[in-house]
Amino acid sequence: MAEKNDFFQSQTVLDFNKSLEPFHLGPLWHAIPELMHKQPTPQAVPYLWKWETLYAKLMEAKDIFTPERGGERRAIYLQNPGLTGRQPWGWASTTQTLYAAVQLILPGETAPSHRHTQSALRFIMKGEGAYSIVQGERIFMEEGDFLTTPKGLWHGHGHPGDKPMIWMDCLDIPTIYAIGGTFFEHYPETIEQPQAPDNYSSHRYAGGMVRPISDRRPQAAPLGSYKWAQTLAALDGLSQYEPDPYDGYAVEYINPSNGRTASPNIASWMQKLPQGFHSKAHRHTHSVIYQVFKGCGYSIIDGVRFDWSEGDFLVIPNWALHEHVALADSYLFSASDLPIMEKFEVDREEGYEGQQAVTGVFEPLLP
Ligand SMILES: [Fe+2]
Ligand SMILES: [Fe+2]
């Protein structure tokens, strides 16, 4: 082996490698170790953003930036420190495939309608009274609601209520950028006007897992909003039985017309981890962005303990070993690139014997 390495470092080989460069050619024998690892070695790192920090920065942003001043949305996105300077578009996304942000809308504000080839989802963290208007339907949002806006649908936001509202956005921006599929379009007028009754799709699905017969044919988003009360009822039902050893009690938001994930490239789950629950450790090729909706606890990722509480965001990169511990009854919303891994047929999961030894504690940045 040493002899082989010596050969590839010999002057003859190095000179030849160099001679290819002016012709925009490259030697595969040199690139293979960097391109083809034995297992995933993501550049994204495990990371945690505290709610205190996100909230403080949103409050600063509210006085400086308004959607009316020409921007699209008052959103601050989460940049994975492992990706800083490593992505061709000049900014770091949250994982290698997904972008996540916190967005604040104030009473009286509107965020103009637009559409794009990236698919978006929203998870409502704080406040009430604002709506998203998706394809002419105003969807009023409450804490714990999940909304989906698959690619190509017009969407804007408005806030006739009286309290600030904050939600999580998650989009497949890095993936669509990487494959060269980005299209973006402004709505001709500022914000689309209602063309359907308010909360129309939620009313049509008030019963939960029964669908109107007209929705037998697959549609992009027959249901725009998944109400927290229904998600909670599903988790309460599950909670009567044994939890999943890795994920506790977990449900997935699906498109009721085709049974697939609610957003085409992003899987969205809500997990309940009861107080005292300590999951088994595992790892998988999909990466996950967690938002702590309620509760507190910690996760151990590759041996490092990440303490979390309400409002925090946590990233588990691809193939990182992880386990969760709930110190109080906890509800975790998550968005992952599982559908992307499944489409490419590289979804893989591996359990770990026992639980990890803690070798370090993550120190979050506070405002
Ligand atoms: Fe958008
Ligand atoms: Fe997991």
Side-chain angles (χ1 to χ4, degrees), residues 146-166:
F146 165 81
L147 283 82
T148 179
T149 312
K151 62 182 181 292
L153 304 187
W154 293 113
H155 58 283
H157 313 297
H159 196 347
D162 56 12
K163 287 192 194 121
M165 209 161 166
I166 298 174

Side-chain angles (χ1 to χ4, degrees), residues 242-249 273 277-282 322-324 349 355:
E242 282 300 303
D244 179 274
Y246 302 108
D247 289 302
Y249 302 104
L273 308 182
F277 177 78
H278 190 150
S279 80
K280 289 171 75 174
H282 73 165
H322 59 278
E323 64 198 75
H324 307 296
E349 185 174 338
Q355 285 153 345

Side-chain angles (χ1 to χ4, degrees), residues 199-273:
N199 301 314
Y200 176 66
S201 69
S202 297
H203 294 157
R204 296 179 77 239
Y205 280 90
M209 283 304 290
V210 286
R211 68 186 172 201
I213 53 170
S214 54
D215 287 358
R216 294 195 79 230
R217 286 177 187 277
Q219 297 171 40
L223 176 59
S225 170
Y226 300 66
K227 301 304 290 178
W228 171 240
Q230 279 187 332
T231 310
L232 188 58
L235 290 170
D236 285 345
L238 270 183
S239 305
Q240 301 172 52
Y241 306 101
E242 282 300 303
D244 179 274
Y246 302 108
D247 289 302
Y249 302 104
V251 290
E252 177 170 20
Y253 299 94
I254 59 167
N255 176 331
S257 73
N258 62 17
R260 301 202 181 113
T261 50
S263 192
N265 294 330
I266 311 173
S268 313
W269 294 9
M270 175 57 74
Q271 283 172 244
K272 176 185 177 183
L273 308 182

